[in-house]
Amino acid sequence: MNRIPKRISEALGNFPPFSLLAPEVVERLGEKAAVQVWVKNDTIWQQGTIPEGELLFLAKGRVEYHWNREGHSELVDVRDVGDVLGLTALVEGVPYQVSAIATDDCLIFSLPYKDFSEEIERNDEARNYITRHLFWVTRLGGAVSSTAVKDITTPAGMSGRAKGILGAHLHSAQVISVSGNQPVSCRPEAPVAQAAELLSNHNLDAIVIVDGEQRPLGYIAATDLVSEIIVKGRPQEMPVSEIMHGPAVCIPDYSSAIAAVLLMMQKRVSLLCVTEDGSPTKPLLDVWTDRALMKMSGYHPAGLMRDLGRTTTISRARQLSDEVENLAGQYLRSGVSSVVVGQICAELYDELVDRLIQLAMEELAEKGQHFDDFNWAWISVGSDGRREQILRTDMDNALIFADGDTPEETESRRQRLLVLSNRVVAMLVECGISRCQGGVMASNPKWCRSEEEWLQELRLTEWNPSPENILRAIVLYDMRFVSGDESLVTPIRESIFQRIPKCFGVMHRLAELTVSSQPPLNFSAKHVIEKKGRKRRDFDLKKRAITPLRDAARLWVLRHGLSKHYSTGSRFTDLQANVPKIAELCQLSRQSYEDLMRLRVLNGLDNNDSGRFINPATLSKLERARLSNVFDVIRMVQAEVRSQFGLEARLK
């Protein structure tokens, strides 16, 4: 008799989830186990690497989990004897979110994860332990607050144009790293002729301008030289400082691809300067361009944004919109954070709207209609305003314009903008985004209002928080600027966050709405499916799960004056950082919301619909157990809201 497997199974059987399995099952797992020995300070795995299908059980020693960010390492958790290592990454099919370091000499048993998962799936008690363990203890990704690193995952099976920077490089959090080559640069006083020669000799699209200590100041692109020297005829002897773009947009060495892509998209630049700490006060280490990224990975969201900004036809805009949705689906299936995917899609759809507005204005200009004699702003509201419209469902948008000197002039401006907005909305429909069934569109006079009219409506809601006024106001509370004059949006958004928290009637009504839809006690199909309508055999994921968390996040950021973020996930992160009393609950809520949004979007892609309704019969036991954990969090959130606002618990 081989005593090694026997000793392994005995060690496994002392700790859950193995102690919850039948002894003969544990013995079979022990027979397939391998023994690993790690010396103190050995790295068991690196953050960003892909699990090799082996579950690790710590039989002796101590292991620390370290989160690497921007060249720095932070201790985030410790594992002792009896702990299972790397389970989250294996269950979710994503790379390790942290590095595992042996802080003592360690003895580890390596088990085939496939065999382990099959046994867990057959044992309800062990399976429930695993899902609870994952949710409450080992979800380190939910505890990490930085978008730059925490959402790193590896897409599986990406193909075609969707295989971009987030597809080719997400296996490593250290994709933006110094190449070792001295970046090509020049001083601000150098003549443009010298910059042109450097661009030509090194086959570059742009060159960085640095000061005497090699600190980045900005950059000039080859297109700038063509525009300024050839087209405008400016002298070649003039200093590059006169035409450079600045200040420099910088990113730290060892940043993630997600951080780089989002920064490029948000700043609308095609070049990032890599410095030690991501600030322009440190010397230039390297240069990262969208062209270089595309050479390495074929395509990425910044390239999509560029194409959207250059499109001249609606048919091309539709093709690019299809690619945005395809890209989003690939990332979500690969485990990328739904919050990050939502941010990327929001930037891309914003660029689409901005371009369609330009095309519509060009069309109308040919008919003698112009819109540059007064200020106006196109805004997103509702789910689009929250950066959560990953799928092309119905649109949510509105218009704000400057008041005229007279009521007649104000109405004239509205009618002119309605012509523009009707054309833009029609273009959006051609791009696959359907009209809002509730009429929340800039083409609706009720959603095309002057600045003072919007402020008056908000004041009316404060005076009379009727259900109709509140529901309309809620949509507006999530407003986000997209195109036009942003200065028109800021006063209204500031008014919301300054006035609404002081209005007891509105806040109380928002709290009531947050607790009005309760989650089921479990995910047994006979208890949670809809009883009426076409979807009577499905579960309403939006109403019963997503909406309560979304409304709670909005309620709490209003109450605490946290107006920095728009998405529900980012709002929970902001609350976690700034409201200690509910910090842990907000951390759990963020992860729950991410899980729900991922499930909804993937369900929508699979069924070619909004993903709102899901058939419980299609879910695995593990997925049902995870949703039951989410329902636990929703109940905790609603209990906290009831306590804060003195609401009675509803009995069902």
Side-chain angles (χ1 to χ4, degrees), residues 449-494:
R449 297 198 167 196
S450 70
E451 182 179 7
E452 182 57 32
E453 288 172 342
W454 282 122
L455 290 171
Q456 286 181 359
E457 178 166 335
L458 290 171
R459 289 192 287 268
L460 174 62
T461 303
E462 297 173 31
W463 300 329
N464 179 25
S466 65
E468 181 181 356
N469 289 342
I470 283 290
L471 290 176
R472 183 174 165 87
I474 284 175
V475 177
L476 198 61
Y477 291 165
D478 294 327
M479 68 162 58
R480 182 173 57 81
F481 169 77
V482 174
S483 183
D485 183 3
E486 189 171 5
S487 66
L488 291 170
V489 182
T490 303
I492 298 176
R493 184 167 167 79
E494 289 179 348

Side-chain angles (χ1 to χ4, degrees), residues 322-354:
D322 292 342
E323 292 188 18
V324 172
E325 195 167 279
N326 178 40
L327 197 71
Q330 296 281 8
Y331 291 167
L332 287 172
R333 289 190 177 95
S334 306
V336 178
S337 161
S338 61
V339 172
V340 173
V341 175
Q343 290 174 338
I344 292 173
C345 289
E347 295 291 345
L348 293 170
Y349 287 136
D350 285 357
E351 187 71 9
L352 170 66
V353 171
D354 188 63

Side-chain angles (χ1 to χ4, degrees), residues 353-635:
V353 171
D354 188 63
R355 183 55 182 156
L356 294 181
I357 291 174
Q358 294 176 28
L359 294 176
M361 291 175 66
E362 291 172 4
E363 286 183 12
L364 295 171
E366 295 177 357
K367 301 177 182 179
Q369 301 181 53
H370 300 277
F371 305 90
D372 55 1
D373 56 327
F374 63 95
N375 295 332
W376 53 269
W378 185 286
I379 61 173
S380 287
V381 294
S383 61
D384 195 10
R386 294 191 303 274
R387 299 178 181 268
E388 293 171 358
Q389 194 167 25
I390 298 174
L391 297 176
R392 284 172 295 174
T393 53
D394 56 342
M395 64 185 76
D396 296 304
N397 48 56
L399 271 168
I400 304 172
F401 60 91
D403 291 272
D405 294 333
T406 65
E408 292 75 18
E409 184 180 2
T410 298
E411 185 58 32
S412 173
R413 291 180 176 182
R414 186 190 340 273
Q415 295 303 318
R416 291 168 60 191
L417 285 173
L418 287 173
V419 174
L420 172 64
S421 59
N422 269 285
R423 181 63 187 123
V424 175
V425 166
M427 289 177 166
L428 286 169
V429 171
E430 292 184 65
C431 290
I433 304 174
S434 60
R435 297 177 187 271
C436 177
Q437 295 180 356
V440 184
M441 296 175 291
S443 57
N444 184 342
K446 292 183 178 180
W447 292 94
C448 179
R449 297 198 167 196
S450 70
E451 182 179 7
E452 182 57 32
E453 288 172 342
W454 282 122
L455 290 171
Q456 286 181 359
E457 178 166 335
L458 290 171
R459 289 192 287 268
L460 174 62
T461 303
E462 297 173 31
W463 300 329
N464 179 25
S466 65
E468 181 181 356
N469 289 342
I470 283 290
L471 290 176
R472 183 174 165 87
I474 284 175
V475 177
L476 198 61
Y477 291 165
D478 294 327
M479 68 162 58
R480 182 173 57 81
F481 169 77
V482 174
S483 183
D485 183 3
E486 189 171 5
S487 66
L488 291 170
V489 182
T490 303
I492 298 176
R493 184 167 167 79
E494 289 179 348
S495 176
I496 291 171
F497 279 86
Q498 290 172 2
R499 297 174 61 93
I500 298 303
K502 302 175 184 177
C503 183
F504 173 82
V506 174
M507 293 295 287
H508 192 80
R509 181 57 184 151
L510 293 177
E512 289 178 335
L513 289 173
T514 301
V515 302
S516 63
S517 180
Q518 295 178 293
L521 293 176
N522 55 50
F523 209 70
S524 172
K526 64 181 181 181
H527 292 143
V528 302
I529 59 175
E530 300 304 305
K531 301 293 194 299
K532 300 178 181 179
R534 292 181 301 169
K535 300 292 185 178
R536 60 182 179 273
R537 292 184 177 86
D538 292 342
F539 174 66
D540 191 339
L541 199 62
K542 177 181 177 181
K543 178 181 178 181
R544 303 292 297 277
I546 293 175
T547 295
L549 290 177
R550 177 201 68 197
D551 290 350
R554 183 193 300 112
L555 175 69
W556 283 340
V557 295
L558 283 170
R559 188 182 194 195
H560 295 283
L562 301 174
S563 61
K564 181 179 179 181
H565 297 287
Y566 297 90
S567 73
T568 300
S570 295
R571 284 173 171 175
F572 277 127
T573 299
D574 205 7
L575 288 161
Q576 180 187 345
N578 292 284
V579 188
K581 183 180 177 182
I582 56 174
E584 183 178 358
L585 182 56
C586 288
Q587 176 185 335
L588 294 171
S589 298
R590 185 193 194 279
Q591 186 59 56
S592 297
Y593 198 80
E594 281 210 20
D595 290 343
L596 291 170
M597 288 299 295
R598 183 191 308 279
L599 180 61
R600 178 180 178 178
V601 173
L602 294 179
N603 182 52
L605 290 171
D606 290 340
N607 296 289
N608 195 29
D609 59 18
S610 69
R612 173 174 178 171
F613 295 93
I614 190 166
N615 183 353
T618 65
L619 300 177
S620 67
K621 290 182 180 180
L622 184 58
E623 288 173 323
R624 291 191 187 192
R626 293 180 66 179
L627 274 175
S628 294
N629 290 331
V630 170
F631 298 154
D632 288 343
V633 174
I634 295 173
R635 279 188 286 274

